[in-house]
Amino acid sequence: MKQTPIIALDFATKEEVMTFLAKFDTPLFVKVGMELFYQTGPALLEEIKEQGHDIFLDLKLHDIPNTVGKTMEGLGRLNVDLVNVHAAGGSVMMQRAVEGLRRTNPDTKIIAVTQLTSTTEQQLHDEQQIDMSMEEAVCHYAKLAQDSGLDGVVCSPLEAAPITAHCGAEFLKVTPGVRPANAAVNDQKRVTTPEQAKALGSTHIVVGRPITQSDDPVASYQQITESWVGKW
Ligand code: C5P
């Protein structure tokens, strides 16, 4: 799995994706989320792979263990590099997810969403009725994911340090909410620069709009890559 910034391909159509990818002459690590996957299906993944890019298929599975296990068995055949589930589905669901994936693919990494970064501490208490701090809740789910055999979590860069303390440096911390110092924050609430994400222990960063909506996506990608890899 490449360690370059993961570009979130938040486009609605295959044409937009292909136009965007054609601007680059180096292999990338891209994220395909549910918006794109549900509209274009697995065929698009194959085309992206054929161009030499790594893929994080961000479908955030959350269902009963049997369904998630069988679905992961199918996703394993797509030969993507990284997939994910919601830790809230529980340890048995996560174990079945790993077992299902391994039946068809020995290499694809699997990580868990702990708490969505759009969830506030207030919602955690009032709606989910979880009576602990966000950091404690996130670290609890990270440990549960690790004990269930997963390779890491999706989290805010601001949560990467406590997760490293609980789960070790090797445990993947894939972090969206990253912005270069001079870029628009958009709707992200808790952001860091690539350098800060690295210092806090992120193992991979996910960046969307600062690259996809840039006037010069290649230059923006190179700038973000330099500030990320430079501190590696
Ligand atoms: O454009 P931007 O850099 O904000 O894109 C971040 C990407 O990461 C989006 O695809 C978003 O859905 C995803 N993401 C996130 N926060 C999470 C999980 C995923 O921003 N907690």
Side-chain angles (χ1 to χ4, degrees):
M1 214 163 70
K2 295 180 180 61
Q3 282 179 330
T4 48
I6 302 174
I7 305 177
L9 294 180
D10 291 326
F11 299 110
T13 66
K14 177 183 158 182
E15 288 66 34
E16 287 172 278
V17 170
M18 290 305 158
T19 303
F20 175 79
L21 292 178
K23 298 177 199 295
F24 294 84
D25 59 8
T26 50
L28 305 170
F29 195 168
V30 299
K31 179 171 88 68
V32 173
M34 59 176 95
E35 177 191 0
L36 185 59
F37 186 75
Y38 287 154
Q39 294 182 79
T40 60
L44 176 68
L45 301 179
E46 227 163 280
E47 285 193 45
I48 294 174
K49 278 302 250 186
E50 274 166 16
Q51 294 185 11
H53 307 302
D54 284 1
I55 300 177
F56 170 18
L57 183 57
D58 178 22
L59 299 181
K60 301 187 178 74
L61 301 190
H62 187 177
D63 208 319
I64 60 171
N66 183 59
T67 301
V68 170
K70 292 275 176 58
T71 303
M72 276 297 169
E73 188 172 337
L75 294 186
R77 294 192 188 95
L78 302 180
N79 283 316
V80 296
D81 300 277
L82 183 63
V83 293
N84 62 356
V85 298
H86 267 286
S91 57
V92 177
M93 187 206 76
M94 289 192 276
Q95 289 160 19
R96 294 288 174 281
V98 175
E99 289 163 13
L101 186 63
R102 292 291 163 254
R103 277 197 287 275
T104 51
N105 194 310
D107 300 319
T108 301
K109 301 281 185 202
I110 173 167
I111 59 178
V113 177
T114 54
Q115 288 286 341
L116 293 170
T117 49
S118 54
T119 302
T120 63
E121 196 147 314
Q122 192 73 39
Q123 285 175 311
L124 188 77
H125 297 151
D126 295 350
E127 297 180 9
Q128 299 185 32
Q129 302 253 299
I130 292 174
D131 196 19
M132 52 174 84
S133 71
M134 180 62 80
E135 184 176 307
E136 287 171 323
V138 162
C139 286
H140 169 69
Y141 269 157
K143 195 78 187 70
L144 194 70
Q146 186 172 43
D147 291 345
S148 305
L150 274 69
D151 301 295
V153 289
V154 184
C155 62
S156 156
L158 297 163
E159 293 155 359
I163 292 172
T164 299
H166 274 75
C167 303
E170 298 301 309
F171 194 60
L172 299 176
K173 269 86 50 181
V174 177
T175 64
V178 172
R179 291 290 179 268
N182 57 349
V185 168
N186 309 111
D187 57 350
Q188 294 285 5
K189 299 278 185 266
R190 302 168 72 210
V191 303
T192 72
T193 63
E195 292 95 329
Q196 287 167 335
K198 172 65 63 192
L200 290 167
S202 295
T203 59
H204 294 78
I205 53 172
V206 178
V207 186
R209 288 161 289 183
I211 299 169
T212 55
Q213 306 300 315
S214 165
D215 291 337
D216 188 343
V218 176
S220 299
Y221 174 71
Q222 284 169 346
Q223 184 209 334
I224 290 166
T225 303
E226 263 170 42
S227 56
W228 169 245
V229 177
K231 294 271 168 87
W232 188 257

